[in-house]
């Protein structure tokens, strides 16, 4: 599950995060760069032989993959409101990967 979460976030980091009438805003130009970095740390956490250390890696990865897309939405809402933009595919993929990473971190911490 952690490997799938990492792959979702890595792919989603490079896709458009915001669609506007003027064009798309790629995630890698902003917070998508940080989510891609965190996804590689999560991938390392998934392959750790020590379960609790891997769970901490996955927890940090999940926090980044959940907080940054939420911040992006709040930031765009503060700039332009609800009109004129749509969340992009990359934003949704990163958020879904964050949920999967949080689930994997909890399961790894509990030893399931």
């Amino acid at each position: 599950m952690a490997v799938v979460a990492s792959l979702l976030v890595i792919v989603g980091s490079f896709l458009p995060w915001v669609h506007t009438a003027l064009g798309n805003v790629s995630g890698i130009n902003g917070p998508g760069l940080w989510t891609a970095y965190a996804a590689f740390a999560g991938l390392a956490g998934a392959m750790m032989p020590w379960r609790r250390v891997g769970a901490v890696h996955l927890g940090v990865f999940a926090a980044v993959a959940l907080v940054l897309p939420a911040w992006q939405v709040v930031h765009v809402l503060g700039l332009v409101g609800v009109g004129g933009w749509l969340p992009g595919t990359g934003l949704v993929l990163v958020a879904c990967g964050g949920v999967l990473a949080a689930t994997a971190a909890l399961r790894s911490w509990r030893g399931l």
Side-chain angles (χ1 to χ4, degrees):
M1 185 180 321
V3 174
V4 172
S6 295
L7 291 176
L8 279 175
V9 173
I10 289 170
V11 170
S13 295
F14 289 94
L15 292 175
W17 278 32
V18 177
H19 296 293
T20 67
L22 299 175
N24 298 328
V25 178
S26 178
I28 205 68
N29 293 334
L33 184 64
W34 295 102
T35 58
Y37 291 154
F40 284 110
L43 192 59
M47 295 186 283
M48 285 262 177
W50 307 286
R51 185 176 48 87
R52 296 274 170 128
V53 177
V56 171
H57 276 256
L58 290 169
V60 170
F61 164 46
V64 170
L66 289 172
V67 169
L68 286 179
W71 171 83
Q72 184 71 43
V73 169
V74 169
H75 179 69
V76 173
L77 282 173
L79 288 176
V80 295
V82 294
W85 70 280
L86 290 171
T89 310
L91 188 73
V92 175
L93 281 178
V94 170
C96 290
V99 171
L100 279 177
T103 304
L106 286 173
R107 290 178 59 120
S108 179
W109 186 264
R110 292 180 183 161
L112 298 177

XYZ file of all heavy atoms in Angstrom:
797
model
N 0.820 -1.187 0.000
C 0.000 0.000 0.000
C 0.871 1.262 0.000
O 0.527 2.243 -0.657
C -0.917 -0.018 1.226
C -1.871 1.126 1.232
S -3.018 1.249 2.627
C -3.490 -0.380 2.978
N 1.992 1.227 0.718
C 2.875 2.392 0.774
C 3.550 2.647 -0.568
O 3.761 3.800 -0.951
C 3.923 2.203 1.864
N 3.864 1.582 -1.285
C 4.490 1.744 -2.597
C 3.496 2.362 -3.576
O 3.849 3.264 -4.354
C 5.019 0.385 -3.114
C 5.539 0.510 -4.524
C 6.102 -0.145 -2.187
N 2.251 1.946 -3.521
C 1.217 2.528 -4.384
C 1.016 3.998 -4.036
O 0.884 4.850 -4.923
C -0.102 1.733 -4.257
C -1.230 2.422 -4.995
C 0.082 0.320 -4.761
N 1.008 4.322 -2.743
C 0.869 5.723 -2.319
C 2.030 6.560 -2.843
O 1.820 7.677 -3.343
C 0.797 5.808 -0.800
N 3.233 6.039 -2.761
C 4.398 6.768 -3.263
C 4.310 6.988 -4.764
O 4.602 8.084 -5.256
C 5.684 6.021 -2.927
O 5.881 5.961 -1.546
N 3.900 5.971 -5.481
C 3.768 6.116 -6.934
C 2.681 7.118 -7.302
O 2.855 7.910 -8.238
C 3.496 4.760 -7.576
C 4.656 3.774 -7.543
C 4.233 2.426 -8.112
C 5.858 4.314 -8.283
N 1.566 7.101 -6.591
C 0.511 8.083 -6.849
C 1.022 9.506 -6.646
O 0.753 10.401 -7.450
C -0.683 7.837 -5.923
C -1.669 6.763 -6.298
C -2.699 6.584 -5.201
C -2.352 7.095 -7.601
N 1.757 9.711 -5.583
C 2.247 11.059 -5.277
C 3.329 11.476 -6.257
O 3.360 12.634 -6.697
C 2.728 11.141 -3.810
C 3.396 12.468 -3.524
C 1.551 10.941 -2.870
N 4.202 10.577 -6.630
C 5.253 10.927 -7.590
C 4.640 11.324 -8.922
O 4.994 12.349 -9.508
C 6.256 9.763 -7.756
C 7.101 9.619 -6.499
C 7.154 9.999 -8.967
C 7.943 8.358 -6.457
N 3.692 10.541 -9.407
C 3.044 10.867 -10.680
C 2.224 12.145 -10.554
O 2.276 13.033 -11.405
C 2.169 9.689 -11.163
C 1.305 10.094 -12.329
C 3.044 8.505 -11.522
N 1.467 12.274 -9.461
C 0.634 13.453 -9.260
C 1.415 14.736 -9.082
O 0.910 15.822 -9.390
N 2.642 14.639 -8.614
C 3.462 15.836 -8.420
C 3.825 16.506 -9.739
O 4.033 17.712 -9.786
C 4.741 15.485 -7.665
O 4.436 15.046 -6.366
N 3.895 15.723 -10.805
C 4.274 16.266 -12.105
C 3.074 16.692 -12.958
O 3.249 17.349 -13.967
C 5.113 15.246 -12.872
C 6.485 15.066 -12.312
C 6.757 14.071 -11.395
C 7.503 15.923 -12.686
C 8.022 13.908 -10.862
C 8.773 15.772 -12.170
C 9.029 14.768 -11.250
N 1.887 16.300 -12.571
C 0.683 16.639 -13.329
C 0.165 18.020 -12.923
O 0.581 18.570 -11.903
C -0.389 15.576 -13.078
C -0.083 14.194 -13.647
C -1.158 13.209 -13.211
C 0.049 14.234 -15.149
N -0.772 18.588 -13.692
C -1.340 19.899 -13.327
C -2.118 19.834 -12.014
O -2.900 18.908 -11.793
C -2.280 20.221 -14.489
C -1.843 19.366 -15.611
C -1.235 18.149 -15.008
N -1.908 20.838 -11.163
C -2.608 20.913 -9.893
C -3.806 21.843 -9.965
O -4.750 21.691 -9.206
C -1.663 21.378 -8.789
C -0.815 20.284 -8.229
C -0.341 19.197 -8.889
C -0.350 20.163 -6.901
N 0.398 18.423 -8.051
C 0.418 18.995 -6.826
C -0.479 20.943 -5.762
C 1.031 18.572 -5.658
C 0.134 20.532 -4.595
C 0.881 19.348 -4.542
N -3.749 22.821 -10.847
C -4.843 23.794 -10.974
C -5.112 24.024 -12.454
O -4.187 24.269 -13.222
C -4.475 25.134 -10.281
C -5.576 26.152 -10.469
C -4.175 24.927 -8.806
N -6.391 23.928 -12.834
C -6.817 24.234 -14.199
C -7.483 25.609 -14.191
O -8.381 25.856 -13.390
C -7.830 23.205 -14.717
C -7.284 21.826 -14.852
N -6.323 21.495 -15.769
C -7.574 20.687 -14.193
C -6.048 20.206 -15.673
N -6.798 19.698 -14.712
N -7.037 26.491 -15.078
C -7.657 27.802 -15.229
C -7.978 28.021 -16.707
O -7.559 27.247 -17.562
C -6.730 28.936 -14.740
O -5.595 29.004 -15.606
C -6.283 28.714 -13.314
N -8.677 29.111 -16.978
C -8.985 29.447 -18.369
C -7.724 29.844 -19.127
O -7.661 29.711 -20.350
C -10.010 30.576 -18.419
N -6.726 30.327 -18.423
C -5.477 30.753 -19.060
C -4.484 29.617 -19.243
O -3.471 29.784 -19.910
C -4.832 31.866 -18.238
C -5.666 33.136 -18.080
C -4.970 34.114 -17.155
C -5.928 33.766 -19.436
N -4.749 28.483 -18.621
C -3.845 27.340 -18.745
C -3.766 26.567 -17.447
O -4.463 26.860 -16.477
N -2.913 25.592 -17.438
C -2.747 24.738 -16.267
C -1.535 25.175 -15.463
O -0.553 25.673 -16.004
C -2.555 23.286 -16.696
C -3.751 22.756 -17.435
O -4.879 23.156 -17.176
N -3.513 21.858 -18.366
N -1.608 24.941 -14.160
C -0.481 25.204 -13.273
C 0.053 23.849 -12.820
O -0.643 23.097 -12.135
C -0.904 26.051 -12.054
C 0.271 26.278 -11.126
C -1.496 27.374 -12.507
N 1.271 23.544 -13.213
C 1.880 22.262 -12.879
C 2.274 22.231 -11.413
O 2.716 23.232 -10.843
C 3.109 22.034 -13.749
O 3.722 20.815 -13.401
N 2.129 21.080 -10.810
C 2.474 20.943 -9.404
C 3.961 21.037 -9.147
O 4.387 21.500 -8.091
N 4.771 20.616 -10.097
C 6.216 20.582 -9.889
C 6.806 21.988 -9.818
O 7.911 22.169 -9.309
C 6.902 19.721 -10.967
C 8.234 19.164 -10.478
C 7.068 20.466 -12.252
C 8.113 18.165 -9.399
N 6.071 22.994 -10.290
C 6.543 24.378 -10.191
C 6.348 24.964 -8.806
O 6.822 26.070 -8.540
C 5.810 25.263 -11.206
C 6.175 24.912 -12.614
O 7.264 24.393 -12.872
N 5.269 25.167 -13.540
N 5.658 24.276 -7.946
C 5.391 24.790 -6.605
C 5.546 23.692 -5.569
O 6.596 23.063 -5.459
N 4.482 23.411 -4.837
C 4.587 22.421 -3.762
C 4.723 20.984 -4.245
O 5.057 20.107 -3.461
C 3.288 22.612 -2.977
C 2.354 23.268 -3.909
C 3.177 24.079 -4.847
N 4.484 20.728 -5.525
C 4.646 19.381 -6.044
C 6.077 18.879 -5.950
O 6.325 17.679 -5.843
N 7.023 19.791 -5.966
C 8.425 19.404 -5.806
C 8.654 18.790 -4.424
O 9.326 17.764 -4.293
C 9.315 20.630 -6.016
C 10.815 20.421 -5.974
C 11.248 19.524 -7.121
C 11.527 21.748 -6.042
N 8.045 19.392 -3.408
C 8.207 18.888 -2.045
C 7.456 17.586 -1.839
O 7.919 16.705 -1.100
C 7.770 19.944 -1.035
C 8.658 21.127 -1.107
C 8.393 22.318 -1.716
C 9.980 21.213 -0.601
N 9.485 23.147 -1.605
C 10.471 22.495 -0.925
C 10.808 20.340 0.102
C 11.744 22.918 -0.572
C 12.076 20.776 0.455
C 12.526 22.039 0.118
N 6.304 17.437 -2.496
C 5.591 16.168 -2.359
C 6.345 15.041 -3.060
O 6.318 13.901 -2.591
C 4.155 16.279 -2.901
O 4.176 16.683 -4.269
C 3.327 17.242 -2.080
N 7.016 15.353 -4.154
C 7.828 14.325 -4.823
C 8.993 13.902 -3.936
O 9.298 12.705 -3.836
C 8.337 14.845 -6.167
N 9.649 14.870 -3.287
C 10.723 14.517 -2.355
C 10.202 13.624 -1.230
O 10.825 12.631 -0.863
C 11.335 15.769 -1.733
C 12.124 16.646 -2.657
C 12.270 18.001 -2.388
C 12.738 16.148 -3.799
C 12.997 18.832 -3.221
C 13.460 16.964 -4.643
C 13.592 18.307 -4.342
O 14.308 19.121 -5.165
N 9.052 13.995 -0.669
C 8.486 13.215 0.429
C 8.079 11.823 -0.037
O 8.178 10.861 0.726
C 7.288 13.954 1.025
N 7.636 11.709 -1.289
C 7.244 10.395 -1.813
C 8.436 9.450 -1.878
O 8.301 8.255 -1.609
C 6.609 10.546 -3.187
N 9.600 9.974 -2.210
C 10.785 9.119 -2.224
C 11.184 8.713 -0.811
O 11.648 7.593 -0.591
C 11.936 9.810 -2.955
C 11.772 9.785 -4.442
C 11.488 10.941 -5.142
C 11.877 8.599 -5.149
C 11.317 10.923 -6.513
C 11.708 8.565 -6.527
C 11.431 9.733 -7.203
N 10.976 9.591 0.164
C 11.216 9.211 1.557
C 10.208 8.156 2.000
O 10.552 7.229 2.751
C 11.131 10.435 2.459
N 8.962 8.284 1.537
C 7.956 7.270 1.845
C 8.266 5.935 1.201
O 8.027 4.874 1.789
N 8.808 5.972 -0.001
C 9.216 4.749 -0.670
C 10.341 4.067 0.104
O 10.353 2.843 0.254
C 9.656 5.064 -2.100
C 9.853 3.914 -3.058
C 8.574 3.112 -3.211
C 10.313 4.443 -4.398
N 11.259 4.870 0.628
C 12.324 4.307 1.467
C 11.749 3.724 2.751
O 12.184 2.664 3.215
C 13.351 5.383 1.797
N 10.744 4.395 3.321
C 10.107 3.880 4.529
C 9.378 2.572 4.293
O 9.308 1.719 5.183
N 8.846 2.394 3.096
C 8.150 1.146 2.780
C 9.114 -0.026 2.687
O 8.717 -1.171 2.905
C 7.392 1.300 1.465
N 10.376 0.243 2.379
C 11.355 -0.833 2.224
C 12.245 -1.022 3.448
O 13.163 -1.834 3.420
C 12.215 -0.552 0.992
C 11.417 -0.587 -0.284
S 12.434 -0.429 -1.746
C 12.778 1.317 -1.718
N 11.986 -0.282 4.527
C 12.796 -0.391 5.741
C 12.601 -1.750 6.418
O 11.476 -2.234 6.508
C 12.381 0.683 6.747
C 12.845 2.032 6.421
S 14.296 2.336 7.360
C 14.690 3.928 6.756
N 13.664 -2.341 6.905
C 13.492 -3.596 7.640
C 12.962 -3.369 9.060
O 12.453 -4.297 9.675
C 14.899 -4.195 7.663
C 15.807 -3.044 7.483
C 15.068 -2.031 6.675
N 13.079 -2.129 9.574
C 12.588 -1.810 10.913
C 11.207 -1.183 10.779
O 11.032 -0.115 10.208
C 13.542 -0.856 11.617
C 14.933 -1.381 11.614
C 15.426 -2.401 12.368
C 16.004 -0.936 10.789
N 16.743 -2.615 12.066
C 17.130 -1.723 11.096
C 16.127 0.053 9.833
C 18.350 -1.545 10.478
C 17.338 0.230 9.219
C 18.433 -0.560 9.549
N 10.227 -1.857 11.331
C 8.829 -1.485 11.131
C 8.506 -0.103 11.675
O 7.874 0.706 11.001
C 7.953 -2.546 11.810
C 6.500 -2.374 11.602
C 5.720 -3.526 12.218
N 6.102 -3.868 13.570
C 5.593 -3.288 14.654
N 4.685 -2.368 14.539
N 5.990 -3.655 15.853
N 8.925 0.228 12.859
C 8.586 1.524 13.470
C 9.297 2.683 12.766
O 8.727 3.748 12.598
C 8.930 1.526 14.961
C 8.128 0.539 15.777
C 6.843 1.149 16.201
N 5.955 0.165 16.777
C 5.367 0.296 17.945
N 5.580 1.374 18.664
N 4.546 -0.633 18.378
N 10.525 2.485 12.366
C 11.246 3.533 11.636
C 10.580 3.781 10.292
O 10.397 4.925 9.866
C 12.738 3.159 11.460
C 13.469 4.195 10.637
C 13.404 2.984 12.809
N 10.165 2.719 9.631
C 9.434 2.860 8.382
C 8.109 3.560 8.580
O 7.678 4.356 7.739
N 7.446 3.298 9.694
C 6.173 3.955 9.986
C 6.358 5.458 10.191
O 5.507 6.250 9.772
C 5.526 3.332 11.217
N 7.462 5.848 10.797
C 7.734 7.288 10.970
C 7.984 7.938 9.610
O 7.482 9.035 9.329
C 8.921 7.503 11.933
C 9.349 8.955 11.952
C 8.554 7.030 13.327
N 8.750 7.279 8.755
C 8.971 7.776 7.392
C 7.635 7.958 6.675
O 7.401 8.982 6.027
C 9.833 6.797 6.584
C 11.290 6.957 6.786
N 12.098 7.554 5.859
C 12.102 6.591 7.801
C 13.330 7.551 6.296
N 13.359 6.965 7.480
N 6.791 6.956 6.773
C 5.493 7.023 6.106
C 4.604 8.094 6.714
O 3.821 8.738 6.009
C 4.806 5.658 6.165
C 5.427 4.572 5.307
C 4.828 3.213 5.640
C 5.252 4.893 3.846
N 4.715 8.308 8.020
C 3.929 9.355 8.664
C 4.320 10.743 8.204
O 3.461 11.598 7.949
N 5.620 10.977 8.066
C 6.086 12.277 7.561
C 5.656 12.456 6.113
O 5.189 13.529 5.706
C 7.624 12.387 7.708
C 8.157 13.599 6.980
C 8.011 12.415 9.171
N 5.792 11.400 5.334
C 5.348 11.437 3.939
C 3.853 11.742 3.854
O 3.417 12.572 3.055
C 5.687 10.103 3.280
C 4.986 9.827 1.988
C 4.903 10.780 0.991
C 4.409 8.588 1.760
C 4.265 10.506 -0.221
C 3.774 8.311 0.571
C 3.699 9.274 -0.415
N 3.050 11.084 4.682
C 1.603 11.315 4.665
C 1.266 12.744 5.061
O 0.386 13.367 4.465
C 0.910 10.327 5.605
N 1.968 13.284 6.049
C 1.703 14.661 6.470
C 1.972 15.651 5.337
O 1.166 16.548 5.074
C 2.554 15.002 7.693
N 3.092 15.463 4.653
C 3.417 16.358 3.537
C 2.412 16.200 2.409
O 1.936 17.194 1.838
C 4.858 16.085 3.034
C 5.145 16.814 1.745
C 5.863 16.474 4.104
N 2.043 14.953 2.098
C 1.137 14.700 0.978
C -0.301 15.103 1.280
O -1.108 15.213 0.360
C 1.193 13.231 0.588
N -0.639 15.329 2.529
C -1.973 15.802 2.868
C -2.022 17.308 3.092
O -2.985 17.970 2.709
C -2.488 15.076 4.115
C -2.854 13.608 3.921
C -3.159 12.960 5.255
C -4.032 13.471 2.985
N -0.985 17.851 3.707
C -0.992 19.277 4.053
C -0.766 20.160 2.826
O -1.474 21.168 2.654
C 0.057 19.565 5.150
C 0.271 21.050 5.333
C -0.372 18.932 6.461
N 0.164 19.816 1.974
C 0.460 20.685 0.834
C -0.683 20.806 -0.180
O -0.964 21.916 -0.632
C 1.757 20.263 0.159
C 3.020 20.627 0.945
C 4.261 20.145 0.225
C 3.105 22.097 1.201
N -1.385 19.734 -0.539
C -2.555 19.945 -1.413
C -3.656 20.767 -0.737
O -4.294 21.596 -1.385
C -3.050 18.534 -1.718
C -1.868 17.680 -1.540
C -1.078 18.308 -0.437
N -3.863 20.551 0.561
C -4.862 21.351 1.273
C -4.449 22.819 1.295
O -5.287 23.716 1.085
C -5.042 20.823 2.694
N -3.160 23.077 1.535
C -2.675 24.454 1.505
C -2.853 25.069 0.121
O -3.226 26.239 0.010
C -1.197 24.509 1.899
C -0.616 25.855 1.670
C -0.688 26.942 2.495
C 0.108 26.278 0.513
N -0.058 28.004 1.925
C 0.448 27.632 0.702
C 0.502 25.653 -0.657
C 1.158 28.356 -0.234
C 1.208 26.378 -1.587
C 1.534 27.712 -1.370
N -2.609 24.297 -0.926
C -2.752 24.806 -2.286
C -4.191 25.225 -2.563
O -4.433 26.279 -3.148
C -2.317 23.748 -3.303
C -2.351 24.215 -4.734
C -1.252 25.212 -5.044
O -0.118 25.028 -4.637
N -1.587 26.263 -5.749
N -5.139 24.421 -2.132
C -6.550 24.757 -2.339
C -6.921 26.007 -1.560
O -7.568 26.919 -2.089
C -7.450 23.565 -1.949
C -8.915 23.973 -1.904
C -7.251 22.416 -2.917
N -6.506 26.098 -0.306
C -6.807 27.282 0.509
C -6.141 28.517 -0.080
O -6.739 29.603 -0.126
C -6.366 27.049 1.976
C -6.417 28.327 2.788
C -7.228 25.976 2.603
N -4.927 28.366 -0.576
C -4.201 29.489 -1.170
C -4.913 30.004 -2.424
O -5.097 31.207 -2.590
C -2.777 29.053 -1.501
C -1.942 30.108 -2.128
N -1.521 31.215 -1.438
C -1.451 30.241 -3.385
C -0.810 31.983 -2.243
N -0.761 31.408 -3.434
N -5.322 29.106 -3.302
C -6.017 29.517 -4.523
C -7.381 30.108 -4.191
O -7.806 31.096 -4.800
C -6.128 28.334 -5.513
C -6.991 28.693 -6.703
C -4.750 27.913 -5.984
N -8.074 29.535 -3.218
C -9.355 30.106 -2.798
C -9.175 31.524 -2.263
O -10.004 32.403 -2.510
C -10.017 29.236 -1.734
C -10.712 27.979 -2.221
C -11.176 27.138 -1.047
C -11.878 28.329 -3.113
N -8.095 31.768 -1.538
C -7.817 33.107 -1.030
C -7.461 34.091 -2.131
O -7.739 35.292 -2.015
N -6.840 33.600 -3.196
C -6.451 34.496 -4.291
C -7.609 34.850 -5.205
O -7.807 36.019 -5.535
C -5.342 33.846 -5.126
C -3.961 33.753 -4.488
C -3.021 32.999 -5.407
C -3.415 35.129 -4.192
N -8.370 33.854 -5.653
C -9.383 34.107 -6.681
C -10.784 33.671 -6.282
O -11.717 33.876 -7.055
C -9.001 33.415 -8.012
C -7.754 33.998 -8.574
C -8.894 31.922 -7.857
N -10.974 33.067 -5.143
C -12.303 32.599 -4.765
C -12.632 31.270 -5.415
O -11.749 30.504 -5.789
N -13.936 31.023 -5.595
C -14.352 29.725 -6.116
C -14.558 29.721 -7.627
O -14.813 28.673 -8.209
C -15.649 29.245 -5.423
C -15.403 28.975 -3.962
C -16.767 30.246 -5.597
N -14.467 30.844 -8.276
C -14.723 30.900 -9.713
C -13.451 30.957 -10.527
O -12.450 31.542 -10.134
N -13.480 30.322 -11.678
C -12.380 30.450 -12.619
C -11.284 29.419 -12.522
O -10.309 29.493 -13.248
N -11.405 28.439 -11.660
C -10.370 27.421 -11.558
C -11.001 26.104 -11.122
O -12.078 26.059 -10.550
C -9.274 27.830 -10.589
C -9.706 27.842 -9.153
C -10.405 28.822 -8.519
C -9.493 26.814 -8.186
N -10.639 28.465 -7.220
C -10.085 27.241 -6.984
C -8.863 25.578 -8.222
C -10.061 26.469 -5.824
C -8.838 24.811 -7.073
C -9.431 25.274 -5.891
N -10.304 25.034 -11.404
C -10.696 23.699 -10.969
C -9.465 22.974 -10.433
O -8.355 23.199 -10.918
C -11.250 22.888 -12.137
C -12.601 23.313 -12.696
C -12.894 22.556 -13.991
C -13.686 23.040 -11.683
N -9.631 22.117 -9.432
C -8.483 21.328 -8.994
C -8.060 20.367 -10.091
O -8.884 19.788 -10.778
C -8.993 20.586 -7.758
C -10.464 20.650 -7.836
C -10.825 21.845 -8.653
N -6.766 20.218 -10.250
C -6.236 19.368 -11.305
C -6.095 17.918 -10.878
O -6.256 17.556 -9.704
N -5.764 17.098 -11.838
C -5.596 15.674 -11.607
C -4.465 15.397 -10.624
O -4.574 14.523 -9.767
C -5.289 14.965 -12.942
O -6.247 15.379 -13.901
C -5.317 13.472 -12.791
N -3.383 16.143 -10.750
C -2.244 15.933 -9.869
C -2.561 16.219 -8.416
O -2.131 15.492 -7.520
N -3.342 17.260 -8.172
C -3.739 17.614 -6.809
C -4.551 16.487 -6.173
O -4.317 16.109 -5.020
C -4.546 18.909 -6.836
C -4.900 19.541 -5.503
C -3.660 20.174 -4.893
C -5.974 20.578 -5.693
N -5.459 15.924 -6.944
C -6.292 14.829 -6.441
C -5.453 13.573 -6.208
O -5.616 12.887 -5.191
C -7.457 14.559 -7.414
C -8.260 13.353 -6.988
C -8.347 15.784 -7.523
N -4.550 13.272 -7.125
C -3.699 12.086 -6.955
C -2.812 12.201 -5.726
O -2.630 11.224 -4.987
C -2.837 11.864 -8.194
C -3.500 11.214 -9.396
C -2.512 11.127 -10.553
C -4.011 9.847 -9.048
N -2.248 13.385 -5.496
C -1.385 13.567 -4.340
C -2.181 13.436 -3.049
O -1.737 12.798 -2.089
C -0.650 14.926 -4.413
C 0.060 15.233 -3.118
C 0.347 14.909 -5.560
N -3.372 14.006 -3.006
C -4.211 13.894 -1.812
C -4.611 12.442 -1.551
O -4.572 11.977 -0.403
C -5.441 14.782 -1.943
N -4.973 11.709 -2.596
C -5.313 10.284 -2.440
C -4.098 9.478 -1.987
O -4.213 8.581 -1.149
C -5.861 9.727 -3.738
S -7.486 10.350 -4.161
N -2.937 9.795 -2.534
C -1.713 9.138 -2.090
C -1.403 9.439 -0.634
O -0.900 8.580 0.096
N -1.708 10.649 -0.192
C -1.513 11.001 1.215
C -2.411 10.200 2.137
O -1.989 9.769 3.216
N -3.652 9.990 1.718
C -4.567 9.167 2.525
C -4.065 7.731 2.595
O -4.055 7.117 3.675
C -6.000 9.237 1.949
C -6.908 8.232 2.620
C -6.559 10.643 2.097
N -3.621 7.193 1.463
C -3.069 5.833 1.467
C -1.807 5.737 2.319
O -1.592 4.747 3.017
C -2.764 5.380 0.041
C -3.921 4.868 -0.787
C -3.440 4.526 -2.194
C -4.544 3.661 -0.147
N -0.971 6.774 2.268
C 0.259 6.761 3.067
C -0.059 6.824 4.560
O 0.606 6.154 5.363
C 1.149 7.928 2.666
N -1.052 7.605 4.939
C -1.439 7.668 6.351
C -1.972 6.319 6.829
O -1.653 5.869 7.938
C -2.488 8.760 6.551
N -2.748 5.662 5.987
C -3.256 4.333 6.325
C -2.110 3.333 6.454
O -2.076 2.534 7.394
C -4.245 3.861 5.250
O -5.272 4.833 5.115
C -4.846 2.526 5.604
N -1.156 3.397 5.535
C -0.005 2.490 5.595
C 0.852 2.759 6.823
O 1.371 1.825 7.441
C 0.830 2.625 4.325
N 0.998 4.036 7.195
C 1.784 4.375 8.387
C 1.129 3.821 9.648
O 1.809 3.247 10.512
C 1.950 5.886 8.491
N -0.178 3.966 9.754
C -0.881 3.435 10.926
C -0.807 1.908 10.973
O -0.577 1.328 12.038
C -2.339 3.883 10.923
C -2.584 5.338 11.286
C -4.042 5.701 11.093
C -2.159 5.596 12.708
N -0.982 1.278 9.825
C -0.904 -0.186 9.796
C 0.499 -0.677 10.134
O 0.669 -1.680 10.817
C -1.340 -0.706 8.440
C -2.817 -0.552 8.187
C -3.179 -1.029 6.821
N -2.810 -2.435 6.670
C -3.661 -3.400 6.400
N -4.907 -3.126 6.199
N -3.239 -4.640 6.292
N 1.499 0.029 9.642
C 2.878 -0.363 9.936
C 3.218 -0.133 11.406
O 3.918 -0.947 12.019
C 3.837 0.434 9.036
O 5.156 0.080 9.311
N 2.727 0.934 11.977
C 3.005 1.231 13.381
C 2.362 0.177 14.285
O 2.950 -0.236 15.277
C 2.495 2.621 13.733
C 2.870 3.044 15.110
C 2.093 2.945 16.238
C 4.094 3.609 15.543
N 2.771 3.412 17.316
C 4.005 3.831 16.914
C 5.268 3.952 14.878
C 5.044 4.387 17.654
C 6.304 4.514 15.594
C 6.188 4.714 16.973
N 1.158 -0.247 13.931
C 0.441 -1.244 14.732
C 0.910 -2.667 14.453
O 0.545 -3.587 15.187
C -1.050 -1.146 14.455
C -1.653 0.123 14.972
C -3.119 0.166 14.672
N -3.682 1.420 15.121
C -4.835 1.907 14.695
N -5.541 1.224 13.795
N -5.278 3.036 15.145
N 1.659 -2.856 13.393
C 2.170 -4.181 13.080
C 1.204 -5.060 12.323
O 1.280 -6.277 12.387
N 0.300 -4.453 11.596
C -0.683 -5.237 10.825
C -0.176 -5.574 9.454
O 0.580 -4.939 8.844
C -1.997 -4.445 10.710
C -2.676 -4.137 12.022
C -3.909 -3.288 11.782
C -3.078 -5.414 12.733
